[in-house]
Amino acid sequence: MMAMFPSRTNLDTWGKMGNKGWSFQDLAPYFQKFSTSHPPSQAIRETLGGLGYYQEDLTGNGPVQLSFDDHYSVMNEKWFKTFAELGLEMKTDPRTGRAVGAFQNASTIESGKNTRSSAVTAYYTDIVAKRPNLKVLTEATVQKITTETREGRVIATGVEVKDKDGKATTITAKNEVILAAGTIRTPQLLELSGIGDRDLLESLGIDVLIDNPNVGEHMQDHLMTSQQFPVKKEYPSADGLRDPDTFRSAFEQYATTRQGPLSGMGTSVAYVPLADRDGVMTQADRKALFDKYLSSGPALSPVQKREFKLIRSLLEAEMEPAIQYMAFPGSLTVTEHPDTLTDMFTSHAPYNCIGIMALLNHPFSRGSVHISSNDVSVPPTWDPNYCSHPLDLEILARTVGFVEKIVNTAPYADMIDPTLKRLPEAKGDDLEAAREIVRARTVSCFHIAGSCRMLPRELGGVVDEKLIVHGTGNLRIVDASMIPLEPLGNIQTTVYAVAERAADFIKESRKKGGAMLPIR
């Protein structure tokens, strides 16, 4: 639900990668178009120390509602004051695309209602549901995209769908097919439809329509390293909800009144340049780090060299957030083999804790997702390939060191109980110990993107700047798989903005008589 916004430099890099017409200025109107921002109340401002950077004029006029919840506490206030002590007080509204420091993010929550504002509540309204040209099929699975070749180009003619009873139906398309199955399932459907790496498709008996080995490759994700710190008894913690009676009471309160501890998140954040145990790293130290790990290692293709140079420019910049830190009002415990997500949010200590998480905004490592069967019911094989590039581990280890600086700086340090064990017990003062913390306490933040990214085909792309699949005339991808370079922070606002821009592309193509674009 966290509404985080990318930086100008971040989105400008999309254009520099080879995507004409994609920059911060090109996409900025769509961040306003998808959302309406509700300002923080006076009570929230007083709790959090003013929020003087917040711009009242950036309201937007879209269906997704962004607001602030009512459950911030002294933990959040001390987070802001501590970052000010560290020279990282927020001066500009992050929605402007320029932001370094601690801030309070809004969330996709209906203002005054404390219910989630989602794509369903925002876009699939009762009025929209009654449109005669819209039909939503539930409990149905797309098997493949149907196509034919016209004058040497592949044209999507519809989709094959199977319902819950196994009955197959072909739905025909008049203009185009829009694929929005997500970073994992979109490449699966392309490959099942004959678009992907020739060797893989032929090995599974699938006829090759378009040989593009970029499908399912270049996948990116935000890794999150999590640490928990015991708090003194006089400070609040969401870990109190582990008591069954307390949780039952909170649940009943939310169910009947939409109030109480379950009506908000209580998380605060910070955008920070590369930093370590000593604080924000100097330009010389950043350069030395990148020189060491980018000058050696396996040989890179010209495309990889170009991309790594752009990522380095982002991470090395003095005013560009390399890391997103989050103050969490309870435990988020990464055990060796968590059974479920619930297990991660369950306190594993007999006392109350608060957590700090760190996300690497622009990883160097790349993963992949591919089919292993020509049966759509068999999930694709996902290999995130986390920290396969050593720089990701090294950067995250330094973030662990910076967390050490946070928890040892007043007033945040005043909340920590030094007589109780932290999780993990190791400290990030030593770089090797910090590396071990990263290895043991790092998980996905579920921001998977880039498996069908927007780039020229020769530069590793699957879709062009209008989001049309290379080699087709009317097959368009509108989901996070098109992202060429992971945006900083949580990606939902970027995905909404891309979708709003895609809607304009679609309407534009209708005016021109269809999406029959030239083959790239």
Side-chain angles (χ1 to χ4, degrees), residues 120-190:
V120 173
T121 63
Y123 292 96
Y124 190 59
T125 62
D126 290 341
I127 294 175
V128 171
K130 293 175 182 177
R131 288 180 179 176
N133 63 345
L134 176 64
K135 184 175 182 179
V136 177
L137 300 181
T138 60
E139 298 183 281
T141 303
V142 175
Q143 307 289 295
K144 62 180 291 188
I145 302 153
T146 60
T147 59
E148 61 182 53
T149 302
R150 301 176 192 167
E151 300 178 355
R153 73 177 61 172
V154 173
I155 303 299
T157 59
V159 292
E160 287 184 9
V161 177
K162 184 177 288 186
D163 65 19
K164 63 179 181 179
D165 299 319
K167 181 182 177 181
T169 305
T170 298
I171 301 173
T172 58
K174 290 183 178 180
N175 295 293
E176 63 179 275
V177 171
I178 301 166
L179 186 51
T183 300
I184 299 295
R185 295 292 186 172
T186 283
Q188 179 193 26
L189 283 172
L190 286 181

Side-chain angles (χ1 to χ4, degrees), residues 458-474:
E458 64 274 13
L459 296 180
V462 175
V463 300
D464 66 13
E465 66 274 4
K466 297 292 186 180
L467 307 182
I468 297 289
V469 174
H470 291 306
T472 75
N474 65 337

Side-chain angles (χ1 to χ4, degrees), residues 104 135 153 171 188 217 286 301 319 341 385 421 492 508:
Q104 187 53 58
K135 184 175 182 179
R153 73 177 61 172
I171 301 173
Q188 179 193 26
E217 292 291 316
R286 291 197 295 270
S301 69
M319 294 304 292
L341 188 60
N385 221 14
K421 292 181 180 179
Q492 72 158 329
E508 177 186 305

Side-chain angles (χ1 to χ4, degrees), residues 69-374:
D69 65 59
D70 297 323
H71 287 278
Y72 306 115
S73 70
V74 66
M75 180 207 75
N76 307 89
E77 178 190 19
K78 289 182 182 297
W79 177 260
F80 292 115
K81 289 182 177 179
T82 299
F83 273 84
E85 287 292 322
L86 295 172
L88 291 165
E89 182 179 2
M90 182 62 72
K91 302 293 186 183
T92 55
D93 194 309
R95 293 172 296 170
T96 65
R98 293 191 177 96
V100 169
F103 64 99
Q104 187 53 58
N105 62 286
S107 297
T108 48
I109 296 175
E110 296 277 355
S111 180
K113 298 180 181 179
N114 289 335
T115 56
R116 185 164 188 169
S117 180
S118 68
V120 173
T121 63
Y123 292 96
Y124 190 59
T125 62
D126 290 341
I127 294 175
V128 171
K130 293 175 182 177
R131 288 180 179 176
N133 63 345
L134 176 64
K135 184 175 182 179
V136 177
L137 300 181
T138 60
E139 298 183 281
T141 303
V142 175
Q143 307 289 295
K144 62 180 291 188
I145 302 153
T146 60
T147 59
E148 61 182 53
T149 302
R150 301 176 192 167
E151 300 178 355
R153 73 177 61 172
V154 173
I155 303 299
T157 59
V159 292
E160 287 184 9
V161 177
K162 184 177 288 186
D163 65 19
K164 63 179 181 179
D165 299 319
K167 181 182 177 181
T169 305
T170 298
I171 301 173
T172 58
K174 290 183 178 180
N175 295 293
E176 63 179 275
V177 171
I178 301 166
L179 186 51
T183 300
I184 299 295
R185 295 292 186 172
T186 283
Q188 179 193 26
L189 283 172
L190 286 181
E191 290 176 341
L192 290 172
S193 305
I195 302 173
D197 180 70
R198 176 178 295 277
D199 291 340
L200 172 64
L201 301 186
E202 289 182 342
S203 72
L204 296 171
I206 298 172
D207 293 335
V208 180
L209 296 177
I210 299 172
D211 179 15
N212 188 344
N214 300 311
V215 173
E217 292 291 316
H218 311 293
M219 191 172 67
Q220 305 156 58
D221 191 14
H222 286 146
L223 273 183
M224 178 177 72
T225 301
S226 177
Q227 300 178 78
Q228 275 64 246
F229 302 92
V231 291
K232 296 174 182 175
K233 291 182 178 180
E234 62 265 32
Y235 291 103
S237 167
D239 285 355
L241 292 171
R242 66 172 173 256
D243 176 72
D245 292 335
T246 302
F247 180 81
R248 188 180 302 109
S249 175
F251 182 84
E252 290 174 354
Q253 182 183 13
Y254 180 75
T256 56
T257 68
R258 293 293 185 262
Q259 299 296 319
L262 298 183
S263 63
M265 295 183 66
T267 301
S268 292
V269 293
Y271 280 165
V272 180
L274 280 183
D276 59 15
R277 184 63 180 86
D278 297 321
V280 174
M281 295 171 64
T282 65
Q283 184 68 39
D285 285 344
R286 291 197 295 270
K287 183 178 184 302
L289 177 65
F290 287 112
D291 284 346
K292 178 179 179 180
Y293 287 96
L294 291 178
S295 61
S296 59
L300 301 176
S301 69
V303 171
Q304 288 174 314
K305 287 181 180 179
R306 183 172 177 272
E307 186 172 334
F308 278 17
K309 183 178 180 180
L310 289 170
I311 297 173
R312 175 175 179 165
S313 69
L314 285 172
L315 294 175
E316 210 170 348
E318 192 164 354
M319 294 304 292
E320 179 68 16
I323 306 294
Q324 174 186 333
Y325 294 88
M326 294 189 291
F328 190 71
S331 292
L332 198 158
T333 306
V334 180
T335 56
E336 187 171 352
H337 297 291
D339 293 325
T340 64
L341 188 60
T342 301
D343 188 43
M344 290 174 56
F345 283 91
T346 301
S347 175
H348 289 256
Y351 40 80
N352 291 346
C353 294
I354 53 178
I356 298 180
M357 290 87 80
L359 279 69
L360 172 57
N361 283 324
H362 307 299
F364 285 89
S365 301
R366 294 290 180 268
S368 64
V369 55
H370 293 289
I371 58 173
S372 58
S373 167
N374 58 14

